[in-house]
Every structure is written in structure tokens, then in C-alpha cells.
Amino acid sequence: MATLNVQDYGAVGDGNSDDTAAINDAIADAGTGDTVLIPATADDYLVSTDNRAAVDFTGVADDVTITGEGPGSSLKMGDVTDRNNQWVIGAEADRGALSGISIRKLTIDGSRDVNGDESTMGFNLYPGGGGHDIRVEDLVLENCAGTGFANRGSGSVTLRRITSRNNGLHGFDFTGAGEALDTDAQSIKSVDNDGVGIDFHNGTHIAEDVYCDSNYSGTKMGASGGPADSVTLRNANLRNARGNSGFRETMPDGTNTDVTLDTVQVIDAELHGFRLSNAANYTITEILTDSTGYGPDNRAPIYITDSASVDADIVRVQNSDYGPGIRNDSPESSAIADYYHYNNPDGALDDNSGSLSIGSQYDEESGELNVPGANDVGAFTSSSGTVEEEEPAPAPTDEPATYRTNFTSDEVGATPTDWSPEFASSSDDWSVVAESSPAGESVLRFDSTANDRHALSYDPVGTASDAELLGLFRLSDLAQSISDGGRLMLRGSGTGDSETAYFFNAAAGTFSIWRYVEGDSEILTEWGTPSDQEWLFARFQASGDSLRARVWPVDASEPDSWDATVQDTSIASGWVGVGSYSEVADDWGFVGVGIGGEPAPMPDLQQDESTSYSRNAVISTLNGTIETE
């Protein structure tokens, strides 16, 4: 895996230079598993196009990540020709499957003030095609004359923490390819758009943890692009639809779409709260509408019409501007278990068709539902709104202590009981082997069947911020040109796709210090050349914002100076451990850890007839020394 920095290709991000070619050249050069980095700058990366995507990832290699560093990594559309089909970033999805592609941590600006035609969009997948695997995280899409995020017939697309705002058309346009799940969207924010907040079309879509506010046309399921097969809207806060209903359907009657509304509220919509229409089948857990409704005689805050069928647990309607709380004109059977109504001008219900049954009615006002607020969801938020949060991580260990093991007391053939698999690892990847090292009669061996981000955390240490690791290791087969071998890992956290850690890395051609941040990888510095089948020491330290490392042969004295020093502020604390990426076996004969300012201890080295190892005294501490030999 390599990181290709667009600035190395000539991109400058000064708001004046056209960086289109440089960014696209970096994407074109990316191989399988590589990362294209768009660093944050004080101004925008200006991009342009005559047609289709300015930043184009059509045909990119598998498992490529295109990432910025946060809101300061901004792609901005230059002044382009109106009425052409133009997007800031995207791909032509009918030109082959896009597999394992991630787009992350960027601001996308359509320059609406100079690009007045609605065809200019932020992010677009067009003209369609299935078989994809595309993940989009932490994007702001703003100031586009057209739609912020558009998927025009592609599946499968995963969205996490996306904000679309101040666009001339829709915030989000979801049109799938008709696959099992076309759009999986979570932590979505759509505000101040002049079209629809979220527009659902062909295929199957799930949107949960949603905040929509002041979009002109609310949120809907539309007819263009084909009617949706299934739509789930969960934990949604839909507010201030300026010119239409909060949630509505405009598909042809007879489409038989399955619609799930699970904890959805509409506040202060200009027209209906919920317009439930056509031949859709609505399954409702709980909905609320407050301060909605308008004047024609056949309207109400909740309007059931055409051939819609509703099966609802809880419905709440209050403070309507016009009409009864619910008007039912559909001949199809519908049922509401619990109906709460309050302060609706024409009472609780007008069941024109006589097909609606209600279990219990309550004339009382309800509070707003437990749905996301404006700051709970969207780009660069820490959680996905109202989903249950994980238990907080333990506080970093600050008391000085040292830890050490040469794996002699651990069971042969098993993972040591006080070490835990992390990231892509399982216990099958790590085991103690009865084979001698300069530090003892057993080694911890990593030996996997596949390249991936493997790690093993040393549990007695817990969570630490300032820590130092010392490892005695050897690489088994550099002739295979392994790209990433033995690793010492500090401040680790996360799981697959969100791995976070600093680590010292030994590979076929170099030693290096890396970082993972939420799955994004970057080499911070490189030096030296590893040797094959040789026992080496590596000392790796994180102290405040400083990372330092040095490497030396086991039969030499430890150097006084560090081989590499680098500053980084990305990661504050986490577990400590060892790791690897390549499937080639690595051996660890000893691991020592020092925290709270203590140095990592050295082992007692064994003597044999052929090798004379320099013996260093074990570093002891005043408090907390733990020995597991």
C-alpha cells in the first residue's frame, strides 16, 4: 500500500491554480490498496471540467482510498460552461465495477455563485450500473447549482457522516440499480437546499440518523429514475420544509413500494406533514407531525390517499394549521394502534373511506421524538446521531510502570492469554512456538494466510498515551519482497476500516514510522535497510506529539541516538502491541513496555557457543514493574 500525495504531482491548493490534472494523475497512478491524499490547505484545490467529473475516479484500481484531512481539504469547481453535465467529483458507473473504493474527509464546493446552471453537481455516480462497492465518509457538499450528492442508478453505495447544504437542487438524490441494498446511508444532514432534502428512486434504500432543515421540497420518493422498491427512513428529524410536505410520495399509483418510517418527525412543514399515497405499503413504528397542514378541503397534516395501506404503532399529530389530524381517502385497509392528537382545527380524524381502524386515541400533546439534532449528524461529527453509543474507552494509564515478556511461560501452540487480536487479526494468526531466541526458549510467531492489517495488543498495559515499546524480532523471508512486516504499535484503537495507531514498521526495503487514522494510512518517515533472518532490536516511543525509533542488531550495543524522529498530533492514546501486514511469518522473542515516562526494559540475553550477545541490565522502576518471563 502506498500513499500518493497530490502535491507531489503538482497540486497546490491555492485557490487560483487549476489542480485538476495533478489530482487525476495521482488517482490514475494508484494501485490496488493505495491511498490518494489531498492534504488540507489554507485555500481550495481549484478543479474544472468541460463534461462529467472534474476529479474522476472512473476505472480506478480496487480498494483505493481518496482522502483529505478534514474540512480544509476543499475541492472547488472553477467557472465552467453552463448547461453541461458537470460534477466536482464522481465516476461513470457504467464503465465497470468500482470495488472497495472509499472517498473521505473532503469539502466539495460547486461555486454556485459563478456556475448558475443546475447541472453542476458536487458528487455524482452516473449513468448507473450495479456490482459496485463504494464508501463515502465525512464529506461536505455545498454551494452547487445542482444537487449536492447524486447517485443516478448505481449500487451498492455506503454513506457515513455526509452533509449537503445550500445547493440549488436536492441535497441527496438516491437512485439505485435495483440490487439487494443500493444505498446504505447513516448520519446524513441536508439543509438549506432549494430542492428536496432526500429524494428516493429506483432500488432499495436505507437512511438513518437524519437531519433535514429548510429544504424547499422536504423529503420524498419520486417517479423519475423509476419507483423505489423499498425505502427505510429511521431516526429522522425533518424540519421547515419551505414549499412542500415534510415527507411525501410522488410515484405512480400501483408501484407497491414498501416504506418503513421508524421514529420520524416533521416540524413546521408548509404543506402536509406526511403525504402517504399511491399503492405503497407503509410500516410505521412512530411518527409525529407538529405545526403543519394547509388549506384545500381534502388536505390534513397526515394525508392517506390513492391506494396506500398503513400499519402504524404510534402516530402523533398536533398544533395543525388546517384540517383534522388525519384524513384518509384510501380504500385500502389501514390500522393505527395508538393515536395521539392535540389542537387540530377540525378534530382528530376524517376517515372518508371508512377503511382506517384505530386502537386507542389520546387527546394530549406530545414532546418531540428522540431524533438527531443539527449538530448530532453529518460530516465530521463523532457519532451517528441517536444510535446507541459504545462504552467509553478506559482512561489512559498515567502511573509509571514497565511490562516485559519473553513468552517462555505461555502455552505453546496458542495465542498468549494476556494478548488480544486487533484489527483484521484472529487468534489463528498468532501462536507461541517452542523455538529459541536470544531472549528465551519460545517466540511469538505471526503467520497468516492473507495480507491484511493484523495486530495483537498487550492487555496488561491497558490504554496509554506516553509509552515506549522495545521488541526483539526477526523477519523470516525478505526474498518475497514483503511490503510490510514486523510492527511495534502504539496508541491503537478501532476495528476493520477504522484502524487507528502509530507503528514502527520493518519491510523488505526500509524501516519506517506510519500512522493509521480511522482506516487511512500514511508513512511519516523512512530510513535504513532490514536484513533477513537476523535478530534485531527496535525501540519505538510516543511522547506527547513526538514519535521516535531506532533499530540495532542484537549482538551490538544500543545506540545513543534515534534513527528517526517525527512530530504528529493525530492520535492521543490507545493500546500497545505488535503487528504485521504481510502473510510471511515474523518472530518476536521479547517485548518490553514502559509507560508514564519509563523506558521499555531490555531482556536478559542468553549466551550460546556461536554467538556472543551484549548483555544489558534489565531496567527496573520504582513502582509497578511487572515481569512475565
Side-chain angles (χ1 to χ4, degrees):
M1 297 186 302
T3 297
L4 288 69
N5 190 322
V6 299
Q7 293 184 354
D8 294 336
Y9 287 76
V12 291
D14 62 3
N16 294 308
S17 304
D18 192 326
D19 293 320
T20 310
I23 296 172
N24 284 323
D25 286 347
I27 294 171
D29 282 353
T32 300
D34 286 351
T35 294
V36 176
L37 175 64
I38 304 174
T41 57
D43 215 314
D44 305 295
Y45 292 89
L46 200 65
V47 296
S48 60
T49 179
D50 291 330
N51 193 33
R52 304 296 172 92
V55 176
D56 189 354
F57 57 91
T58 302
V60 71
D62 291 349
D63 302 318
V64 166
T65 296
I66 301 170
T67 184
E69 294 179 323
S73 294
S74 175
L75 302 175
K76 186 172 184 178
M77 186 73 93
D79 188 354
V80 296
T81 304
D82 286 349
R83 294 180 299 280
N84 284 358
N85 194 10
Q86 298 155 329
W87 336 312
V88 179
I89 183 171
E92 296 187 50
D94 64 341
R95 295 193 180 182
L98 295 160
S99 178
I101 307 306
S102 294
I103 315 295
R104 296 175 172 173
K105 300 179 181 178
L106 295 166
T107 296
I108 309 298
D109 189 327
S111 298
R112 183 179 178 183
D113 54 338
V114 298
N115 297 312
D117 187 79
E118 62 187 27
S119 64
T120 304
M121 294 184 283
F123 184 108
N124 191 20
L125 297 170
Y126 178 85
H132 303 299
D133 174 17
I134 302 168
R135 187 178 182 92
V136 186
E137 298 180 340
D138 290 301
L139 254 62
V140 173
L141 304 131
E142 62 185 5
N143 304 323
C144 299
T147 295
F149 184 98
N151 176 17
R152 300 298 180 90
S154 299
S156 302
V157 181
T158 300
L159 280 73
R160 295 291 185 269
R161 301 177 305 277
I162 311 295
T163 296
S164 190
R165 64 194 181 198
N166 192 35
N167 298 298
L169 281 181
H170 310 317
F172 295 88
D173 184 343
F174 296 148
T175 303
E179 299 180 344
L181 179 57
D182 293 290
T183 307
D184 176 4
Q186 189 177 99
S187 190
I188 302 300
K189 185 175 180 178
S190 183
V191 296
D192 297 315
N193 299 291
D194 288 343
V196 177
I198 305 175
D199 203 355
F200 299 99
H201 303 291
N202 184 58
T204 297
H205 311 280
I206 297 175
E208 57 183 314
D209 306 320
V210 173
Y211 182 84
C212 293
D213 194 354
S214 299
N215 302 296
Y216 184 81
S217 294
T219 289
K220 74 177 179 72
M221 297 180 293
S224 62
D229 300 311
S230 174
V231 171
T232 297
L233 185 61
R234 178 177 294 122
N235 291 339
N237 191 355
L238 312 179
R239 310 182 76 90
N240 301 308
R242 291 178 279 138
N244 215 309
S245 303
F247 179 89
R248 74 189 196 280
E249 183 182 342
T250 62
M251 297 184 295
D253 195 15
T255 54
N256 293 310
T257 300
D258 292 322
V259 182
T260 298
L261 301 176
D262 182 1
T263 317
V264 180
Q265 72 177 19
V266 173
I267 307 295
D268 199 22
E270 181 69 18
L271 303 186
H272 305 289
F274 296 86
R275 188 181 193 275
L276 310 180
S277 58
N278 304 313
N281 305 302
Y282 292 89
T283 300
I284 296 173
T285 302
E286 183 173 14
I287 60 174
L288 176 147
T289 178
D290 193 325
S291 303
T292 66
Y294 77 117
D297 289 341
N298 62 339
R299 301 295 191 252
I302 294 182
Y303 183 33
I304 306 171
T305 185
D306 299 329
S307 301
S309 175
V310 175
D311 183 5
D313 293 335
I314 302 172
V315 173
R316 305 176 188 270
V317 186
Q318 59 197 33
N319 302 316
S320 305
D321 297 328
Y322 181 86
I326 299 174
R327 174 168 277 115
N328 176 41
D329 285 341
S330 171
E332 299 298 321
S333 176
S334 293
I336 298 172
D338 292 293
Y339 176 36
Y340 294 79
H341 56 88
Y342 176 80
N343 192 29
N344 301 302
D346 289 342
L349 175 67
D350 185 356
D351 186 6
N352 291 332
S353 297
S355 58
L356 173 62
S357 65
I358 295 178
S360 300
Q361 292 192 48
Y362 306 92
D363 185 1
E364 60 184 71
E365 189 171 20
S366 304
E368 291 195 17
L369 303 184
N370 184 23
V371 289
N375 298 319
D376 295 328
V377 294
F380 310 113
T381 53
S382 60
S383 67
S384 296
T386 60
V387 294
E388 184 176 350
E389 295 183 359
E390 297 179 355
E391 291 294 321
T397 304
D398 295 323
E399 292 297 322
T402 60
Y403 305 79
R404 47 185 283 135
T405 178
N406 67 355
F407 307 104
T408 299
S409 62
D410 294 299
E411 179 185 354
V412 172
T415 303
T417 57
D418 51 355
W419 293 72
S420 296
E422 305 284 354
F423 299 165
S425 271
S426 70
S427 57
D428 294 337
D429 299 318
W430 305 86
S431 62
V432 174
V433 178
E435 189 170 316
S436 64
S437 80
E441 301 304 319
S442 296
V443 299
L444 173 65
R445 178 163 294 168
F446 167 79
D447 193 3
S448 180
T449 59
N451 293 346
D452 214 330
R453 296 175 174 180
H454 301 278
L456 200 66
S457 60
Y458 193 11
D459 297 337
V461 181
T463 302
S465 51
D466 289 352
E468 184 177 279
L469 266 169
L470 181 128
L472 173 65
F473 71 99
R474 67 180 174 186
L475 306 177
S476 64
D477 196 354
L478 293 178
Q480 295 194 38
S481 299
I482 60 173
S483 59
D484 302 282
R487 296 173 167 179
L488 291 172
M489 312 196 76
L490 294 173
R491 300 181 181 176
S493 64
T495 57
D497 294 328
S498 65
E499 303 96 339
T500 296
Y502 293 121
F503 58 93
F504 158 84
N505 185 72
T510 187
F511 300 114
S512 53
I513 296 175
W514 288 60
R515 71 179 180 194
Y516 288 149
V517 178
E518 292 292 331
D520 295 333
S521 64
E522 182 177 356
I523 301 173
L524 300 178
T525 188
E526 295 179 304
W527 75 97
T529 304
S531 53
D532 202 2
Q533 294 287 353
E534 179 183 13
W535 284 103
L536 300 170
F537 280 119
R539 189 180 293 276
F540 181 39
Q541 179 192 91
S543 179
D545 299 338
S546 178
L547 304 171
R548 303 192 291 186
R550 57 176 169 246
V551 189
W552 69 99
V554 70
D555 56 355
S557 298
E558 180 172 357
D560 293 329
S561 61
W562 296 96
D563 293 327
T565 300
V566 66
Q567 302 294 121
D568 192 83
T569 61
S570 302
I571 311 170
S573 65
W575 48 257
V576 304
V578 295
S580 187
Y581 182 84
S582 298
E583 60 188 74
V584 178
D586 304 318
D587 289 338
W588 295 91
F590 175 86
V591 174
V593 183
I595 61 173
E598 290 290 342
M602 290 284 293
D604 287 319
L605 297 179
Q606 301 186 80
Q607 301 281 351
D608 61 35
E609 295 180 357
S610 60
T611 307
S612 177
Y613 299 116
S614 55
R615 299 177 59 85
N616 295 317
V618 174
I619 299 173
S620 61
T621 65
L622 295 175
N623 296 296
T625 300
I626 299 176
E627 298 191 7
T628 59
E629 291 187 342

